[in-house]
């Protein structure tokens, strides 16, 4: 067999030329997410079990009125919009009728759609609507759905973009690919709701979204994000060093009036040199910033707890995966000890566990679920072990011949919360969703509401660092604990009454409330008198959920500064890298 070094030049196919749009930076572009409503079962692939809510979907799914409800914007298309010189409009979370109206009202040269794999029927339908109303427009598909190998034929698109959409669009428009990146100025969550209350945050209450890198240096075999950016070990740093990142964060702080950042980076702390330089700048400028990060256990252990606290790490999403899992990121690490240590320093932990690993069976799954629940993390995500197209796991199971035929499954149901798209060696088909539900229920009945566990961990940090001699650190923990004396006491007292049939949960809740009263005295006791009002809200929310009530995000419609024909459309906002801002 020939190797690449022995092939003749004639036998090597030239690399495909990157497509170019003839209008260049005059190209009129619409970027959109798939249409809603989302939390319903319909012919377009919406599923009530797969709402447009990260936490309620995968983390607090069975916590009823205490479930954390919120929405997150489609950050990828916002990043593209902020970094091209062509007139670009973003339509985020439209309903079908709103999308059609946009096609009728405004003419575009390019229409881009971002989606995940279960949305393929929606993407196909949107492509058909574009062909009907704007046949001249070129259709570009991106997001996780781009991992489907033959997507372009399935949905009749012109181009499919895997990986870095900013770079792709800049090339497509004939722009400078290496130009430094602006960063969208957007809060990380919107419409936050729990215990029957939709929160109306004050400035500083919600974190800004921060995207330093994409891809993943670890590259777990099931990870769709890793696959989308080239596989294991492949990643792209949007901001190479701590200086670049700090400049972006300062602008986001000013524009959005925030003191915290939800860092959308698969393993932020892996980039150690950047993180430690950022720490130097944070300390030099006296920033009492909080960072919410994704980090693997082995990388967390490579930092001292003092470094994590000084850097402002106050929330960690960490893969626990499963008992006896073989992932190197967990090798030799006592995850129970790590979780306890982080929580004792006020660092809230969202643990993530997989149901349906290769070794899982009805015999050992109860023990695996109990193993996860015993971590008593502040939040806990459960997902089915799912081979998404493009991932190493998908290739592996395809080679083994265990993937289900497409006529056996509906792609809209392969979202990690219902069913396998392959034949598991040990788990009978159709029971996997029940096991997942059992995991959520057991974790909740053992540990109670996540929103109150957060208070417990935040209080631990406040007690430990609220009077720290470093005023920057003390200020951060006081900011994190600003609602402990006022908001939480009536919620906890109402929750104690709600869980009257579960004495173990009541005992935990009473201990947290006593601790808050001990720290804050009469203020917290006075606030707790509002518990009857909160209790009614909780009961009303439970009744609302029992009737099938669902939650949907609002529609967003924004333009960049290069679209000047319709000034009534709100402008997108973004932070500029230092080398651009310096010349402003």
């Amino acid at each position: 067999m020939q190797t690449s070094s022995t092939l003749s030049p004639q036998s090597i196919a030239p690399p495909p030329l990157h497509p170019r749009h003839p209008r260049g930076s005059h190209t009129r572009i619409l970027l959109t997410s798939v249409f809603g409503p989302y939390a319903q079962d319909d012919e377009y692939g919406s599923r009530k079990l797969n709402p447009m809510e990260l936490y309620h979907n995968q983390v607090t799914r069975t916590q009823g009125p205490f479930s954390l409800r919120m929405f997150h914007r489609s950050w990828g298309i916002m990043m593209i919009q902020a970094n091209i010189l062509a007139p670009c409009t973003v339509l985020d979370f439209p309903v079908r009728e709103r999308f059609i109206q946009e096609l009728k009202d405004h003419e575009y040269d390019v229409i881009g759609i971002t989606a995940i794999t279960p949305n393929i029927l929606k993407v196909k339908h949107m492509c058909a609507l574009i062909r009907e109303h704007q046949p001249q427009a070129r259709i570009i598909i991106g997001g996780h759905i781009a991992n489907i190998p033959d997507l372009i034929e399935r949905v009749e698109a012109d181009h499919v973009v895997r990986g870095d959409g900013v770079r792709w669009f800049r090339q497509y428009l004939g722009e400078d690919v290496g130009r430094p990146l602006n960063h969208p100025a957007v809060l990380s969550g919107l419409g936050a709701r729990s215990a029957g209350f939709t929160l109306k945050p004050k400035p500083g209450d919600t974190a800004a979204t921060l995207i330093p890198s994409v891809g993943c240096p670890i590259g777990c075999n099931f990870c769709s994000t890793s696959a989308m950016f080239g596989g294991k070990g492949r990643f792209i740093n949007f901001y190479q060093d701590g200086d670049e990142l700090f400049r972006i964060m300062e602008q986001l702080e000013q524009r959005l009036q925030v003191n915290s950042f939800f860092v959308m980076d698969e393993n932020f702390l892996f980039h150690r040199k950047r993180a430690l330089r950022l720490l130097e700048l944070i300390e030099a400028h006296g920033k009492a910033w909080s960072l919410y990060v994704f980090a693997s256990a082995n990388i967390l252990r490579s930092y001292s707890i003092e470094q994590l606290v000084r850097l402002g790490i106050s929330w960690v999403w960490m893969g626990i995966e499963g008992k006896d899992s073989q992932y190197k990121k967990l090798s030799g690490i006592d995850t129970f000890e790590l979780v306890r240590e982080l929580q004792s320093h006020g660092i809230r932990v969202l643990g993530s566990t997989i149901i349906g690993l290769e070794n899982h069976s009805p015999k050992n799954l109860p023990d695996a679920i109990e193993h996860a629940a015993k971590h008593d993390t502040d939040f806990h995500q459960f997902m089915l072990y799912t081979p998404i197209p493009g991932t190493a796991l998908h290739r592996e199971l395809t080679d083994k011949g265990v993937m289900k035929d497409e006529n056996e499954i509906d792609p809209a149901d392969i979202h990690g919360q219902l069913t396998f798209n392959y034949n598991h060696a040990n788990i009978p088909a159709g029971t996997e969703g029940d096991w997942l539900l059992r995991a959520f229920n057991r974790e909740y009945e053992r540990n109670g509401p996540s929103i109150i566990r957060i208070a417990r961990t935040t209080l631990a940090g406040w007690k430990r660092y609220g009077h720290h001699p470093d005023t920057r650190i003390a200020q951060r923990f006081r900011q994190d604990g600003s609602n402990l004396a006022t908001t939480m006491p009536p919620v906890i007292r109402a929750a104690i009454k709600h869980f009257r049939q579960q004495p173990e949960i009541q005992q935990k809740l009473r201990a947290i409330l006593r601790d808050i009263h001990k720290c804050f005295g009469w203020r917290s006791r006075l606030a707790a008198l509002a518990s009857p009002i909160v209790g009614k809200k909780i009961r009303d929310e439970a009744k609302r959920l029992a009737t099938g009530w669902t939650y949907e995000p609002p529609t967003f419609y924004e333009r960049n500064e290069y679209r000047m024909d319709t000034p009534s459309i709100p402008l997108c906002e973004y932070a500029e890298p230092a080398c651009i801002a310096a010349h402003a």
Side-chain angles (χ1 to χ4, degrees):
M1 185 175 73
Q2 288 182 310
T3 65
S4 58
S5 61
T6 60
L7 289 171
S8 65
Q10 292 79 13
S11 66
I12 302 175
L17 294 174
H18 194 285
R20 289 285 179 92
H21 198 282
R23 298 197 66 194
S25 289
H26 297 288
T27 305
R28 297 162 300 182
I29 299 170
L30 173 68
L31 301 177
T32 180
S33 57
V34 294
F35 63 85
Y38 307 99
Q40 65 176 33
D41 296 328
D42 65 20
E43 70 272 29
Y44 300 114
S46 285
R47 292 293 183 266
K48 190 172 182 179
L49 198 56
N50 189 32
M52 189 63 77
E53 302 179 62
L54 174 62
Y55 289 98
H56 185 64
N57 183 331
Q58 304 173 9
V59 183
T60 57
R61 176 178 154 187
T62 63
Q63 295 191 19
F66 296 100
S67 182
L68 179 59
R69 317 294 298 265
M70 72 170 65
F71 307 105
H72 303 283
R73 292 289 306 276
S74 301
W75 297 314
I77 55 177
M78 297 178 73
M79 181 70 81
I80 294 169
Q81 181 187 43
N83 283 287
I84 56 177
L85 305 178
C88 181
T89 306
V90 159
L91 181 62
D92 206 3
F93 309 137
V95 294
R96 179 177 176 274
E97 293 73 21
R98 176 65 182 85
F99 178 65
I100 292 173
Q101 194 62 50
E102 185 66 18
L103 298 180
K104 290 180 177 179
D105 290 349
H106 301 285
E107 187 175 350
Y108 294 100
D109 302 305
V110 167
I111 299 175
I113 305 170
T114 183
I116 58 175
T117 305
N119 294 147
I120 188 168
L121 294 179
K122 287 193 175 186
V123 172
K124 184 176 182 178
H125 183 65
M126 293 174 80
C127 289
L129 290 172
I130 295 168
R131 296 299 187 211
E132 176 186 350
H133 295 284
Q134 297 208 27
Q136 84 293 341
R138 298 183 185 179
I139 302 173
I140 300 174
I141 311 298
H144 288 264
I145 196 171
N147 279 328
I148 298 176
D150 59 345
L151 179 66
I152 199 166
E153 289 84 16
R154 291 175 181 246
V155 300
E156 298 186 65
D158 295 293
H159 306 293
V160 172
V161 179
R162 291 185 68 191
D164 184 356
V166 172
R167 184 181 183 88
W168 191 96
F169 264 92
R170 283 179 171 178
Q171 283 187 273
Y172 185 57
L173 301 173
E175 298 177 3
D176 178 7
V177 170
R179 193 172 73 250
L181 290 179
N182 299 322
H183 193 291
V186 59
L187 295 174
S188 61
L190 59 118
R193 181 180 180 85
S194 188
F197 291 88
T198 298
L199 306 182
K200 297 179 180 179
K202 304 183 299 295
D205 284 356
T206 306
T209 299
L210 180 68
I211 311 174
S213 308
V214 288
C216 184
I218 303 296
C220 297
N221 63 339
F222 56 82
C223 181
S224 179
T225 302
S226 175
M228 188 165 60
F229 289 93
K232 186 172 184 176
R234 300 291 185 90
F235 57 89
I236 299 168
N237 285 333
F238 287 154
Y239 306 102
Q240 292 289 342
D241 55 43
D243 296 83
E244 285 183 298
L245 197 55
F246 181 79
R247 172 61 186 171
I248 292 294
M249 294 170 73
E250 267 199 321
Q251 291 179 70
L252 294 178
E253 175 191 39
Q254 294 161 10
R255 284 180 176 271
L256 299 174
Q257 298 181 54
V258 298
N259 50 48
S260 56
F261 300 86
F262 184 21
V263 186
M264 287 302 299
D265 186 310
E266 290 290 326
N267 209 334
F268 174 70
L269 296 171
F270 175 88
H271 307 282
R272 188 178 183 87
K273 184 176 179 181
R274 183 177 65 186
L276 293 180
R277 174 56 179 160
L278 180 63
L279 171 57
E280 291 178 6
L281 293 168
I282 286 173
E283 292 187 322
H285 291 80
K287 298 294 187 182
W289 288 344
S290 295
L291 275 61
Y292 310 151
V293 305
F294 295 77
S296 56
N298 61 339
I299 296 300
L300 282 167
R301 273 295 181 219
S302 70
Y303 289 79
S304 68
I305 195 70
E306 180 192 12
Q307 286 175 314
L308 296 177
V309 169
R310 287 166 52 214
L311 184 55
I313 305 300
S314 55
W315 185 97
V316 171
W317 189 312
M318 180 181 74
I320 294 171
E321 312 312 3
K323 186 178 181 182
D324 301 324
S325 65
Q326 301 303 308
Y327 293 102
K328 290 183 179 179
K329 63 186 180 181
L330 296 164
S331 179
I333 294 175
D334 184 335
T335 52
F336 291 101
E337 180 186 356
L338 177 56
V339 168
R340 295 294 173 272
E341 181 180 12
L342 293 170
Q343 290 176 324
S344 72
H345 288 268
I347 300 175
R348 292 151 286 187
V349 180
L350 194 160
S352 181
T353 290
I354 297 170
I355 299 296
L357 290 170
E358 293 93 337
N359 66 317
H360 281 171
S361 69
K363 184 178 181 179
N364 61 29
L365 269 170
D367 188 42
I369 291 170
E370 195 63 26
H371 174 83
K374 283 181 179 178
H375 281 83
D376 195 10
T377 52
D378 301 273
F379 290 99
H380 211 111
Q381 178 194 44
F382 292 97
M383 293 286 284
L384 292 176
Y385 197 42
T386 304
I388 300 297
T391 62
L393 180 60
H394 190 278
R395 291 191 296 273
E396 176 188 338
L397 297 188
T398 298
D399 291 343
K400 289 182 178 179
V402 299
M403 293 297 299
K404 291 182 179 178
D405 191 83
E406 289 189 5
N407 60 20
E408 298 179 72
I409 53 174
D410 188 328
D413 292 328
I414 308 305
H415 46 68
Q417 290 292 313
L418 178 64
T419 187
F420 291 138
N421 56 348
Y422 64 101
N423 296 301
H424 195 283
N426 306 314
I427 300 175
T431 66
E432 60 269 35
D434 294 333
W435 281 110
L436 192 71
L437 194 60
R438 184 170 170 176
F440 279 113
N441 286 333
R442 176 56 188 148
E443 204 276 338
Y444 181 40
E445 71 182 16
R446 187 184 194 281
N447 301 316
S450 286
I451 60 168
I452 298 177
R453 289 183 244 167
I454 288 174
R456 174 196 60 190
T457 300
T458 304
L459 182 62
W462 186 92
K463 289 164 65 177
R464 192 164 200 151
Y465 295 105
H467 301 281
H468 195 274
D470 185 328
T471 55
R472 184 186 66 87
I473 292 176
Q475 181 184 348
R476 178 171 74 79
F477 281 92
R478 287 177 173 271
Q479 287 169 179
D480 283 352
S482 61
N483 71 343
L484 287 173
T486 54
T487 303
M488 293 313 301
V491 174
I492 298 172
R493 182 178 283 185
I496 291 170
K497 187 173 182 179
H498 179 85
F499 288 97
R500 55 186 172 273
Q501 303 299 325
Q502 296 171 256
E504 290 184 4
I505 294 296
Q506 280 191 322
Q507 184 179 354
K508 291 185 177 185
L509 297 178
R510 286 194 178 101
I512 297 169
L513 186 59
R514 283 196 301 269
D515 212 2
I516 290 176
H517 287 334
K518 184 177 179 181
C519 290
F520 298 102
W522 67 266
R523 278 199 301 151
S524 64
R525 295 182 185 277
L526 187 62
L529 296 177
S531 64
I533 298 172
V534 177
K536 186 177 186 307
K537 284 283 191 178
I538 291 170
R539 291 191 298 275
D540 289 345
E541 185 80 346
K543 291 176 184 176
R544 189 180 294 114
L545 292 170
T547 64
W549 177 83
T550 57
Y551 202 27
E552 296 288 344
T555 299
F556 292 86
Y557 189 48
E558 298 154 337
R559 64 181 175 92
N560 64 9
E561 64 265 44
Y562 303 104
R563 177 171 181 176
M564 295 178 283
D565 63 319
T566 315
S568 59
I569 302 173
L571 273 170
C572 68
E573 294 188 63
Y574 53 80
E576 297 176 304
C579 58
I580 292 178
H583 294 89

